[in-house]
Amino acid sequence: MELLVMAILIVIVIALIVYNIVISRRIKNFKNINQKVTSLNVLQDFMSTIGDDQSVDEKIKRINDILIEEYAIKYSTIVVFDGSEYVVKASNVDKKHWDTLRNLHEEDIFKDSITSAKPKYITVNTDEERLPYQKMEFGRAKSAMFFPLYIDNVYIGYWIIESGKMHAFDHVDTTILEVVKDNIISIFRIVSYQNVLENLTRKDLYSDLKTSEYLYEEGKHTIDSYTTSTVCMFKIANLEATNNNINRDTGNQMIIDVCDYIKDKLSDEYIFVRYMGPKFVIVFSGVEIDGVVDFLTDLKKEVENLKIEDVIAAEENEKNEDKKKKEVKFTKPRLNFVLTTYYKGTALEIGLKKLEEYLDGAEASESDINNI
């Protein structure tokens, strides 16, 4: 009888062991599936952030927030080398610690990680210890993981996550974190093109207008806040002739006077840029073409009545007060307009290219308001 009971107990124990193994495997599989789902959700959030109408810096900050929220990270900081210095692009750490965080590349403990492109995990073992890079802080972080960031084998900065607990990352699946790191790099690769565009925007010397790049970045945020807008491109049709027949200084003055006059007539909601050479673009945000034509007809008539005098001759007459005055020639600007409708979400650059092609192909004598 005792043997039978013993045999039954052994069978029960074996069954429990098998059951625990099966449950353990199921839990592990569930965790793996859960991690994959979380990573997929994070990636979807990343891609959604890329498509948002935000600046590069705003997108990077949002990406860092997503990492903190989805992976329950205590502290997360992204640092990038901008060509001259290391800059904290995103962090939920108090700004008083940013000087330390943006100089981690100088810490001996992370130099091998940067050189080898491998992550570095550090932690303390007692409350009295502090992490090697901590200068003025003791209790904020007790463990950290450092990930160098590379794009096409070019080192661009690093991502560091920190915890206030000792050994916080001992059992973390580094494979998942490597995937996250790769996603961060992918985001930087994509937004780098946007970053170039943001930094290309300049102010034109004579018109005091922003250059055409503004239309594709900050300006587009305003334009796309409306479903439709009217895009107008105009050309100072006789600018080249003024440069050749009078002088370039007078041509430059024509640009200044024309743009100053038009700027005073435009609402702040409308975007006015120097597109290229004698061509300029006005975007009437949220306005249909029918609401623009009458305004442009009056504006064209007023601008073409501006008298632009020969700048060089006028200056010489001012300098030589006692001598016989030269005859000062003057000219008037002649404008050629072309309009089209822009729909939110479509390619603005294609529409502008068509307007440009129309103006470039028009007769030099053409001075009209056209709709294509």
Side-chain angles (χ1 to χ4, degrees):
M1 186 67 179
E2 290 180 0
L3 290 175
L4 180 61
V5 172
M6 184 68 69
I8 293 173
L9 289 175
I10 291 172
V11 170
I12 292 173
V13 169
I14 292 172
L16 287 173
I17 291 172
V18 172
Y19 177 77
N20 286 334
I21 291 172
V22 171
I23 292 297
S24 177
R25 286 178 178 175
R26 286 181 179 178
I27 291 173
K28 186 176 180 180
N29 289 335
F30 176 78
K31 285 182 178 179
N32 289 335
I33 293 171
N34 190 48
Q35 286 175 335
K36 289 178 182 178
V37 170
T38 299
S39 295
L40 181 59
N41 289 337
V42 169
L43 183 57
Q44 288 175 332
D45 288 342
F46 278 6
M47 300 311 294
S48 176
T49 299
I50 290 173
D52 287 345
D53 287 332
Q54 296 177 317
S55 69
V56 169
D57 286 345
E58 288 172 331
K59 288 179 179 180
I60 295 171
K61 289 175 184 174
R62 175 58 190 143
I63 285 165
N64 198 51
D65 290 341
I66 291 170
L67 296 176
I68 293 165
E69 293 165 10
E70 294 292 340
Y71 291 103
I73 296 170
K74 180 66 174 176
Y75 301 111
S76 176
T77 302
I78 299 172
V79 177
V80 174
F81 183 66
D82 68 359
S84 60
E85 62 179 351
Y86 284 80
V87 179
V88 175
K89 286 293 186 179
S91 180
N92 65 330
V93 178
D94 193 299
K95 284 191 175 182
K96 66 184 179 182
H97 302 304
W98 282 19
D99 277 345
T100 298
L101 290 171
R102 68 185 182 88
N103 288 305
L104 295 182
H105 60 283
E106 297 177 352
E107 297 291 333
D108 290 337
I109 197 166
F110 296 129
K111 286 181 179 179
D112 285 345
S113 176
I114 294 171
T115 303
S116 63
K118 294 180 179 179
K120 178 73 174 182
Y121 173 38
I122 55 175
T123 187
V124 298
N125 295 309
T126 66
D127 287 332
E128 292 73 28
E129 288 183 81
R130 61 179 177 179
L131 297 176
Y133 61 86
Q134 293 178 320
K135 310 300 180 185
M136 300 176 62
E137 51 180 325
F138 292 90
R140 185 183 65 83
K142 296 293 185 183
S143 53
M145 288 198 74
F146 177 93
F147 297 87
L149 303 177
Y150 281 79
I151 294 181
D152 297 330
N153 296 321
V154 176
Y155 172 65
I156 65 164
Y158 49 86
W159 170 45
I160 182 169
I161 59 175
E162 301 169 290
S163 173
K165 298 179 180 178
M166 293 181 284
H167 298 277
F169 304 115
D170 284 4
H171 305 293
V172 169
D173 187 347
T174 55
T175 304
I176 295 296
L177 289 177
E178 283 288 342
V179 170
V180 173
K181 183 203 72 173
D182 290 341
N183 286 337
I184 293 173
I185 292 170
S186 297
I187 299 303
F188 271 105
R189 190 192 300 273
I190 294 170
V191 299
S192 64
Y193 299 107
Q194 180 184 347
N195 195 42
V196 169
L197 199 58
E198 288 179 359
N199 291 324
L200 278 176
T201 302
R202 297 287 186 272
K203 263 202 171 183
D204 177 58
L205 177 62
Y206 298 108
S207 65
D208 198 37
L209 299 173
K210 290 181 179 178
T211 53
S212 60
E213 292 82 10
Y214 180 79
L215 290 170
Y216 307 113
E217 183 41 47
E218 188 176 344
K220 200 166 186 297
H221 301 164
T222 301
I223 299 168
D224 280 350
S225 62
Y226 300 92
T227 304
T228 61
S229 297
T230 296
V231 179
C232 161
M233 184 180 290
F234 72 87
K235 180 179 182 179
I236 304 178
N238 60 335
L239 179 62
E240 185 177 357
T242 301
N243 290 338
N244 295 333
N245 299 334
I246 303 179
N247 51 64
R248 187 168 290 276
D249 286 6
T250 303
N252 291 337
Q253 190 61 48
M254 181 181 284
I255 292 172
I256 293 169
D257 290 354
V258 167
C259 291
D260 284 350
Y261 191 90
I262 293 176
K263 273 187 287 188
D264 288 340
K265 297 291 183 178
L266 293 177
S267 164
D268 292 339
E269 190 70 12
Y270 303 150
I271 296 169
F272 185 22
V273 300
R274 185 168 188 180
Y275 186 74
M276 187 181 297
K279 295 184 285 289
F280 301 81
V281 170
I282 305 171
V283 181
F284 296 91
S285 310
V287 182
E288 295 185 0
I289 286 181
D290 290 344
V292 169
V293 174
D294 289 343
F295 169 78
L296 289 180
T297 301
D298 293 339
L299 182 67
K300 182 177 186 296
K301 188 182 300 182
E302 293 165 7
V303 172
E304 291 182 339
N305 279 327
L306 296 174
K307 288 187 176 182
I308 317 296
E309 65 179 10
D310 182 336
V311 172
I312 293 179
E315 288 177 351
E316 288 179 355
N317 282 345
E318 286 182 9
K319 291 177 183 177
N320 304 316
E321 294 180 358
D322 299 332
K323 295 183 179 180
K324 185 179 179 180
K325 302 289 185 181
K326 287 184 177 181
E327 181 186 354
V328 178
K329 296 179 182 179
F330 70 87
T331 185
K332 292 183 178 181
R334 194 174 70 253
L335 308 183
N336 196 16
F337 287 82
V338 61
L339 313 176
T340 192
T341 299
Y342 167 76
Y343 298 92
K344 178 180 178 180
T346 59
L348 178 60
E349 64 276 10
I350 293 177
L352 290 171
K353 187 65 177 176
K354 289 181 179 178
L355 299 182
E356 183 182 17
E357 288 172 352
Y358 178 88
L359 290 177
D360 287 344
E363 295 290 335
S365 59
E366 183 177 315
S367 176
D368 208 345
I369 298 176
N370 298 284
N371 179 14
I372 62 173

